Amino acid sequence: ERYIGFAPMDQGLPLVVEGHASSLLVDAQDYTGVLRAVTDLKGDIARVSGATPEVARAPEASSATAVIIGTLGKSRLIDQLAHDGKINAAALTGKWEAYLVQLVEAPTPGIDRALVIAGSDKRGTIYGIYGLSEQIGVSPWYWWADVPVRHQDALYVKPGTAFNDHPVVKYRGIFLNDEAPALTNWAKEKFGGFNHEFYVHVFELILRLRGNYLWPAMWGSAFNDDDPQNPALADEFGIVMGTSHHEPLMRAHDEWRRYGRGPWDYARNDTVLREFWRGGMERAKHYEQIVSIGMRGDGDEAMSEETNVALLERIVADQRKLLSDVTGKPAAEVPQLWALYKEVQSYYERGMRVPDDVTLLWCDDNWGNIRRLPTAAERKRPGGAGIYYHFDYVGGPRNY
């Protein structure tokens, strides 16, 4: 529901009126990604109204009205509001990416009324922030698609505003694939390639769309190897990173072209492959990720005709041992997926299984038709299920 209006209203809280914008209060100790999103909100309010709000580091500033923004457990202001019973901490505590938006009277000394945006975690707070941006009229696509922003002289929060939200799908994201030549050439022209200057715009878009997950461009590219700032920036934003269905253990396939030795064949070159994968996990172990496991043939192809289920199960077992060795945690505590793409689904149908904590990523048939949905028994697996779905495809029998 819309909680922002553009005309004066009884008991409404003015965000912008007569060229003045209410301050944005945030704790300097909050997540860097939250502070970054607050800066984006400041720019969005100015983009809509022409009035630029002050960003104050709580609890320094005071005013009649304000927007108080923060994460439970990271913001002293939010924690105090929860302690005083002025916001419902139960709506946030222990929740994944939850947030609440609420008008609060006398939230803190020196402030008469405030719009409070509180999150259960980093992304929850960020979604609440970008939700306000969208409410005032800034499309998530304002940059990528040049969606125009309509000017508004005034912005008001409707009286009685109080709601909270959280996702029902845990990971929601995109795969930048089949990216050459169009996106690749554009990124090279504008940014010098798929570097952090490019990805900053991708990350912001994903978050504005309430996403949290990315498989990065990989035709001749390697997210972690091309620009060491890429993974650090993803972590700062709060983007969960992965690698595609045929790139195990956080290694871009182009890195095998760059650094691999011998054949991409576990039966003949398992020691080299394990060390290659170990390098990917060592590099990424401190960041939030979902690890692709299993193995397909070199260059997004099927494995050899001799490939058998026993070999593939051994590959997965070895990969999970490596995950545990590198992270120092049981493999079951490291988010993983197994993509049942193309021929891999036939391995599953022939009896191959992975541990129940691994997400089964079901796939369409490259023409937009889901080939199979999880059974009732499969839906009980702790790892759950996902969908890998194409709306663009390069491959046989034709590109579309």
Side-chain angles (χ1 to χ4, degrees):
E1 295 183 10
R2 294 204 60 83
Y3 64 87
I4 294 294
F6 306 114
M9 57 186 72
D10 289 341
Q11 303 303 310
L13 182 145
L15 286 182
V16 174
V17 63
E18 296 181 350
H20 173 74
S22 294
S23 297
L24 309 178
L25 265 58
V26 61
D27 194 321
Q29 302 304 310
D30 214 321
Y31 294 102
T32 304
V34 168
L35 302 181
R36 176 188 286 274
V38 170
T39 300
D40 288 345
L41 175 61
K42 172 184 175 179
D44 291 342
I45 292 171
R47 190 176 287 116
V48 169
S49 68
T52 302
E54 175 192 6
V55 176
R57 301 307 189 206
E60 298 167 359
S62 63
S63 61
T65 61
V67 181
I68 299 175
I69 300 167
T71 311
L72 194 68
K74 288 287 285 185
S75 165
R76 290 164 293 179
L77 270 176
I78 297 300
D79 289 351
Q80 188 64 50
L81 288 170
H83 179 268
D84 295 343
K86 294 184 176 180
I87 62 171
N88 180 17
L92 303 175
T93 304
K95 301 287 180 64
W96 173 268
E97 297 178 352
Y99 67 92
L100 62 80
V101 176
Q102 183 178 335
L103 265 181
V104 175
E105 301 293 330
T108 191
I111 299 176
D112 298 332
R113 305 175 74 206
L115 178 68
V116 175
I117 299 173
S120 64
D121 52 26
K122 174 164 57 178
R123 284 189 295 270
T125 309
I126 290 170
Y127 296 145
I129 293 167
Y130 284 140
L132 176 55
S133 290
E134 196 166 9
Q135 287 272 335
I136 67 175
V138 179
S139 165
W141 295 94
Y142 79 97
W143 192 87
W144 282 98
D146 299 313
V147 177
V149 176
R150 178 176 295 179
H151 176 82
Q152 304 290 349
D153 288 330
L155 300 172
Y156 284 84
V157 181
K158 293 182 178 179
T161 293
F163 68 90
N164 60 275
D165 194 16
H166 63 87
V168 294
V169 176
K170 188 168 187 178
Y171 297 107
R172 312 162 306 278
I174 57 175
F175 180 16
L176 296 182
N177 193 216
D178 298 339
E179 66 270 23
L183 184 64
T184 300
N185 289 348
W186 179 84
K188 287 179 179 177
E189 175 189 338
K190 301 297 183 184
F191 303 104
F194 292 118
N195 53 31
H196 70 281
E197 294 180 356
F198 164 82
Y199 276 113
V200 69
H201 299 289
V202 178
F203 298 156
E204 181 187 333
L205 174 68
I206 290 172
L207 291 171
R208 283 182 183 262
L209 292 171
R210 314 298 195 281
N212 60 7
Y213 182 45
L214 176 67
W215 286 359
M218 46 73 66
W219 277 18
S221 302
F223 180 82
N224 294 294
D225 196 52
D226 291 342
D227 184 350
Q229 293 187 61
N230 280 344
L233 189 70
D235 184 65
E236 179 180 307
F237 267 78
I239 299 295
V240 182
M241 292 303 302
T243 46
S244 75
H245 53 83
H246 71 104
E247 299 178 299
L249 275 66
M250 303 306 293
R251 275 287 205 181
H253 193 74
D254 203 63
E255 291 184 82
W256 181 253
R257 180 186 65 80
R258 301 174 190 183
Y259 309 120
R261 305 188 315 277
W264 181 265
D265 184 334
Y266 203 75
R268 295 187 290 153
N269 200 23
D270 59 339
T271 301
V272 172
L273 281 162
R274 280 196 301 273
E275 286 309 303
F276 176 71
W277 292 332
R278 180 181 294 275
M281 287 309 306
E282 288 284 359
R283 182 178 57 194
K285 66 183 178 181
H286 298 300
Y287 300 130
E288 194 176 2
Q289 64 214 335
I290 306 175
V291 180
S292 295
I293 63 171
M295 188 174 184
R296 296 189 69 220
D298 194 1
D300 195 12
E301 299 290 342
M303 299 279 269
S304 67
E305 289 296 325
E306 310 83 60
T307 300
N308 57 65
V309 166
L311 173 62
L312 288 166
E313 288 179 336
R314 177 163 74 88
I315 290 170
V316 169
D318 290 351
Q319 288 173 338
R320 282 171 63 86
K321 182 179 185 303
L322 195 157
L323 284 177
S324 184
D325 290 346
V326 172
T327 63
K329 298 186 289 188
E333 295 180 10
V334 180
Q336 297 155 66
L337 64 80
W338 183 37
L340 303 178
Y341 179 55
K342 285 189 174 179
E343 80 288 344
V344 182
Q345 184 173 318
S346 70
Y347 302 146
Y348 186 85
E349 290 164 349
R350 280 154 46 193
M352 179 178 173
R353 292 294 181 267
V354 294
D356 280 353
D357 60 271
V358 177
T359 300
L360 297 180
L361 191 69
W362 300 93
C363 304
D364 73 330
D365 63 355
N366 298 327
W367 294 89
N369 306 296
I370 299 297
R371 297 191 294 176
R372 172 155 141 15
L373 295 175
T375 65
E378 288 162 347
R379 287 198 295 271
K380 295 177 182 177
R381 299 174 68 260
I387 291 291
Y388 171 40
Y389 189 86
H390 297 79
F391 65 90
D392 165 89
Y393 179 71
V394 175
R398 71 176 177 88
N399 304 331
Y400 73 92

mmCIF file of all heavy atoms in Angstrom, residues 257-273:
data_model
loop_
_atom_site.group_PDB
_atom_site.id
_atom_site.type_symbol
_atom_site.label_atom_id
_atom_site.label_comp_id
_atom_site.label_asym_id
_atom_site.label_seq_id
_atom_site.Cartn_x
_atom_site.Cartn_y
_atom_site.Cartn_z
ATOM 1 N N ARG A 257 40.734 -21.559 -17.778
ATOM 2 C CA ARG A 257 41.499 -21.235 -18.985
ATOM 3 C C ARG A 257 42.780 -20.492 -18.626
ATOM 4 O O ARG A 257 43.834 -20.722 -19.230
ATOM 5 C CB ARG A 257 40.648 -20.379 -19.931
ATOM 6 C CG ARG A 257 41.360 -19.980 -21.223
ATOM 7 C CD ARG A 257 40.519 -19.020 -22.048
ATOM 8 N NE ARG A 257 40.312 -17.753 -21.377
ATOM 9 C CZ ARG A 257 41.205 -16.763 -21.339
ATOM 10 N NH1 ARG A 257 42.391 -16.905 -21.905
ATOM 11 N NH2 ARG A 257 40.927 -15.640 -20.720
ATOM 12 N N ARG A 258 42.702 -19.626 -17.608
ATOM 13 C CA ARG A 258 43.860 -18.813 -17.228
ATOM 14 C C ARG A 258 44.885 -19.604 -16.417
ATOM 15 O O ARG A 258 46.097 -19.428 -16.603
ATOM 16 C CB ARG A 258 43.399 -17.607 -16.409
ATOM 17 C CG ARG A 258 42.431 -16.695 -17.125
ATOM 18 C CD ARG A 258 41.906 -15.585 -16.201
ATOM 19 N NE ARG A 258 40.798 -14.858 -16.809
ATOM 20 C CZ ARG A 258 40.199 -13.811 -16.265
ATOM 21 N NH1 ARG A 258 40.599 -13.362 -15.075
ATOM 22 N NH2 ARG A 258 39.197 -13.208 -16.886
ATOM 23 N N TYR A 259 44.401 -20.436 -15.487
ATOM 24 C CA TYR A 259 45.310 -21.023 -14.501
ATOM 25 C C TYR A 259 45.281 -22.551 -14.442
ATOM 26 O O TYR A 259 46.107 -23.146 -13.756
ATOM 27 C CB TYR A 259 44.972 -20.488 -13.096
ATOM 28 C CG TYR A 259 44.890 -18.982 -13.015
ATOM 29 C CD1 TYR A 259 43.708 -18.340 -12.623
ATOM 30 C CD2 TYR A 259 45.986 -18.184 -13.330
ATOM 31 C CE1 TYR A 259 43.628 -16.961 -12.538
ATOM 32 C CE2 TYR A 259 45.908 -16.800 -13.253
ATOM 33 C CZ TYR A 259 44.721 -16.196 -12.858
ATOM 34 O OH TYR A 259 44.653 -14.830 -12.779
ATOM 35 N N GLY A 260 44.308 -23.167 -15.115
ATOM 36 C CA GLY A 260 44.165 -24.617 -15.002
ATOM 37 C C GLY A 260 45.309 -25.370 -15.677
ATOM 38 O O GLY A 260 45.967 -24.876 -16.593
ATOM 39 N N ARG A 261 45.534 -26.591 -15.214
ATOM 40 C CA ARG A 261 46.570 -27.454 -15.796
ATOM 41 C C ARG A 261 45.964 -28.825 -16.058
ATOM 42 O O ARG A 261 45.330 -29.419 -15.184
ATOM 43 C CB ARG A 261 47.762 -27.612 -14.844
ATOM 44 C CG ARG A 261 48.380 -26.309 -14.388
ATOM 45 C CD ARG A 261 49.671 -26.541 -13.599
ATOM 46 N NE ARG A 261 49.567 -27.612 -12.618
ATOM 47 C CZ ARG A 261 49.062 -27.466 -11.402
ATOM 48 N NH1 ARG A 261 48.573 -26.285 -11.016
ATOM 49 N NH2 ARG A 261 49.027 -28.477 -10.544
ATOM 50 N N GLY A 262 46.164 -29.296 -17.286
ATOM 51 C CA GLY A 262 45.650 -30.616 -17.624
ATOM 52 C C GLY A 262 44.181 -30.589 -17.993
ATOM 53 O O GLY A 262 43.574 -29.523 -18.144
ATOM 54 N N PRO A 263 43.556 -31.759 -18.112
ATOM 55 C CA PRO A 263 42.165 -31.825 -18.560
ATOM 56 C C PRO A 263 41.172 -31.485 -17.457
ATOM 57 O O PRO A 263 41.424 -31.699 -16.276
ATOM 58 C CB PRO A 263 42.017 -33.295 -18.979
ATOM 59 C CG PRO A 263 42.992 -34.021 -18.115
ATOM 60 C CD PRO A 263 44.154 -33.099 -17.933
ATOM 61 N N TRP A 264 40.025 -30.952 -17.886
ATOM 62 C CA TRP A 264 38.888 -30.728 -16.984
ATOM 63 C C TRP A 264 38.161 -32.078 -16.851
ATOM 64 O O TRP A 264 37.094 -32.301 -17.391
ATOM 65 C CB TRP A 264 37.984 -29.642 -17.560
ATOM 66 C CG TRP A 264 36.778 -29.286 -16.743
ATOM 67 C CD1 TRP A 264 35.517 -29.792 -16.883
ATOM 68 C CD2 TRP A 264 36.702 -28.341 -15.666
ATOM 69 N NE1 TRP A 264 34.658 -29.229 -15.962
ATOM 70 C CE2 TRP A 264 35.353 -28.325 -15.202
ATOM 71 C CE3 TRP A 264 37.628 -27.508 -15.048
ATOM 72 C CZ2 TRP A 264 34.927 -27.506 -14.162
ATOM 73 C CZ3 TRP A 264 37.192 -26.693 -14.010
ATOM 74 C CH2 TRP A 264 35.863 -26.691 -13.571
ATOM 75 N N ASP A 265 38.791 -32.958 -16.115
ATOM 76 C CA ASP A 265 38.315 -34.342 -16.032
ATOM 77 C C ASP A 265 38.702 -34.878 -14.658
ATOM 78 O O ASP A 265 39.883 -35.110 -14.386
ATOM 79 C CB ASP A 265 38.945 -35.179 -17.143
ATOM 80 C CG ASP A 265 38.415 -36.610 -17.176
ATOM 81 O OD1 ASP A 265 37.966 -37.115 -16.130
ATOM 82 O OD2 ASP A 265 38.470 -37.225 -18.253
ATOM 83 N N TYR A 266 37.705 -35.087 -13.807
ATOM 84 C CA TYR A 266 38.005 -35.477 -12.431
ATOM 85 C C TYR A 266 38.587 -36.877 -12.344
ATOM 86 O O TYR A 266 39.377 -37.170 -11.438
ATOM 87 C CB TYR A 266 36.738 -35.382 -11.569
ATOM 88 C CG TYR A 266 37.046 -35.221 -10.098
ATOM 89 C CD1 TYR A 266 37.503 -34.002 -9.608
ATOM 90 C CD2 TYR A 266 36.884 -36.269 -9.204
ATOM 91 C CE1 TYR A 266 37.789 -33.830 -8.260
ATOM 92 C CE2 TYR A 266 37.166 -36.111 -7.849
ATOM 93 C CZ TYR A 266 37.630 -34.887 -7.388
ATOM 94 O OH TYR A 266 37.924 -34.727 -6.062
ATOM 95 N N ALA A 267 38.237 -37.738 -13.268
ATOM 96 C CA ALA A 267 38.766 -39.101 -13.244
ATOM 97 C C ALA A 267 40.262 -39.115 -13.520
ATOM 98 O O ALA A 267 40.984 -40.007 -13.047
ATOM 99 C CB ALA A 267 38.031 -39.973 -14.258
ATOM 100 N N ARG A 268 40.762 -38.119 -14.255
ATOM 101 C CA ARG A 268 42.175 -38.098 -14.645
ATOM 102 C C ARG A 268 42.974 -36.983 -13.987
ATOM 103 O O ARG A 268 44.209 -37.018 -14.027
ATOM 104 C CB ARG A 268 42.294 -37.944 -16.177
ATOM 105 C CG ARG A 268 41.742 -39.119 -16.970
ATOM 106 C CD ARG A 268 42.053 -38.941 -18.444
ATOM 107 N NE ARG A 268 41.281 -37.854 -19.029
ATOM 108 C CZ ARG A 268 41.683 -37.136 -20.088
ATOM 109 N NH1 ARG A 268 42.867 -37.371 -20.634
ATOM 110 N NH2 ARG A 268 40.923 -36.184 -20.578
ATOM 111 N N ASN A 269 42.305 -35.991 -13.390
ATOM 112 C CA ASN A 269 43.025 -34.795 -12.933
ATOM 113 C C ASN A 269 42.431 -34.259 -11.638
ATOM 114 O O ASN A 269 42.337 -33.061 -11.425
ATOM 115 C CB ASN A 269 42.956 -33.719 -14.041
ATOM 116 C CG ASN A 269 44.033 -32.657 -13.902
ATOM 117 O OD1 ASN A 269 45.072 -32.880 -13.290
ATOM 118 N ND2 ASN A 269 43.778 -31.488 -14.474
ATOM 119 N N ASP A 270 42.069 -35.173 -10.732
ATOM 120 C CA ASP A 270 41.343 -34.750 -9.543
ATOM 121 C C ASP A 270 42.169 -33.890 -8.600
ATOM 122 O O ASP A 270 41.658 -32.945 -7.995
ATOM 123 C CB ASP A 270 40.767 -35.961 -8.807
ATOM 124 C CG ASP A 270 41.831 -36.962 -8.369
ATOM 125 O OD1 ASP A 270 42.933 -36.944 -8.946
ATOM 126 O OD2 ASP A 270 41.547 -37.756 -7.454
ATOM 127 N N THR A 271 43.457 -34.161 -8.463
ATOM 128 C CA THR A 271 44.292 -33.390 -7.532
ATOM 129 C C THR A 271 44.372 -31.931 -7.950
ATOM 130 O O THR A 271 44.214 -31.007 -7.122
ATOM 131 C CB THR A 271 45.697 -33.997 -7.443
ATOM 132 O OG1 THR A 271 45.601 -35.349 -7.002
ATOM 133 C CG2 THR A 271 46.567 -33.213 -6.476
ATOM 134 N N VAL A 272 44.613 -31.699 -9.228
ATOM 135 C CA VAL A 272 44.712 -30.323 -9.737
ATOM 136 C C VAL A 272 43.368 -29.608 -9.588
ATOM 137 O O VAL A 272 43.310 -28.439 -9.190
ATOM 138 C CB VAL A 272 45.189 -30.321 -11.200
ATOM 139 C CG1 VAL A 272 45.095 -28.912 -11.798
ATOM 140 C CG2 VAL A 272 46.614 -30.833 -11.298
ATOM 141 N N LEU A 273 42.290 -30.292 -9.912
ATOM 142 C CA LEU A 273 40.969 -29.668 -9.810
ATOM 143 C C LEU A 273 40.633 -29.306 -8.369
ATOM 144 O O LEU A 273 40.088 -28.223 -8.103
ATOM 145 C CB LEU A 273 39.910 -30.613 -10.386
ATOM 146 C CG LEU A 273 39.832 -30.620 -11.920
ATOM 147 C CD1 LEU A 273 39.111 -31.860 -12.422
ATOM 148 C CD2 LEU A 273 39.135 -29.363 -12.418
#
